[in-house]
Amino acid sequence: MESDKNKVLFYGGKYHAFSNFSSFMVMYEDYLWPTAEYAYQASKFDDVVIINEIKSARSSYDTFQIARKYPDKVRKDWMEVNLGIMKKIVREKLNQHSYIKQKLIETGQMEIIENSPTDAFWGWGQNKDGQNHLGKIWMELRDEIN
């Protein structure tokens, strides 16, 4: 198995600030969201009632659960736009928090991975062979600021 020593892992630990669930508010689309996860989950919908339910959620985890209740209400173009929307949200988070910017610079050129054991789309998943889209977004943004 490949060593994780030269990788930045952020499902928890020292680089948890990169997680969408981390407690950093994000101004996105003229609304101050409690976390990036709130903004992302709300972006799936055009229905104001669902968006307001997400805004009222008690936690990032709850926003995810709310969104899962409405699979038939997700924007029809979601699979075409979700990566771009995530990148916009993460860019806003980065620009609004100097602490996160410093943490990102501190990663140098190391590979950044969301080491989620369950999410093989945004992270590396159970077998550590996932797509790691969120890690890739952080690396792209790092390249932009360097």
Side-chain angles (χ1 to χ4, degrees):
M1 176 185 286
E2 185 181 345
S3 169
D4 300 332
K5 185 172 61 170
N6 295 319
K7 296 176 177 21
V8 173
L9 307 176
F10 68 88
Y11 193 64
K14 181 178 178 182
Y15 293 97
H16 180 67
F18 298 159
S19 169
N20 284 346
F21 283 65
S22 65
S23 299
F24 289 89
M25 298 179 92
V26 179
M27 178 64 75
Y28 178 72
E29 300 282 314
D30 298 321
Y31 188 79
L32 185 60
W33 301 95
T35 69
E37 189 68 15
Y38 278 76
Y40 179 75
Q41 294 300 334
S43 295
K44 291 179 177 180
F45 304 98
D46 294 319
D47 186 316
V48 176
V49 173
I50 298 171
I51 293 168
N52 285 334
E53 186 177 352
I54 290 169
K55 285 179 176 178
S56 300
R58 295 178 52 99
S59 70
S60 294
Y61 176 79
D62 287 349
T63 68
F64 178 75
Q65 295 303 316
I66 292 165
R68 289 182 72 175
K69 289 191 322 188
Y70 303 105
D72 58 324
K73 301 283 188 178
V74 173
R75 294 170 42 167
K76 301 296 181 225
D77 65 347
W78 186 243
M79 292 314 293
E80 289 81 46
V81 301
N82 70 330
L83 288 171
I85 288 172
M86 179 65 85
K87 189 171 183 179
K88 287 179 190 174
I89 293 168
V90 172
R91 180 181 283 117
E92 289 299 326
K93 179 178 173 178
L94 175 64
N95 290 336
Q96 295 168 30
H97 296 282
S98 60
Y99 172 80
I100 295 174
K101 191 172 200 173
Q102 184 55 45
K103 293 302 273 184
L104 187 58
I105 291 167
E106 168 181 310
T107 65
Q109 290 302 308
M110 289 190 285
E111 183 178 12
I112 301 174
I113 300 169
E114 183 186 37
N115 55 321
S116 167
T118 57
D119 191 337
F121 181 80
W122 292 113
W124 70 4
Q126 182 177 12
N127 298 320
K128 298 184 180 183
D129 61 356
Q131 297 175 62
N132 189 40
H133 284 295
L134 192 53
K136 290 174 184 174
I137 287 171
W138 280 110
M139 289 184 284
E140 289 171 23
L141 294 175
R142 179 182 62 198
D143 289 346
E144 289 177 12
I145 63 173
N146 282 335

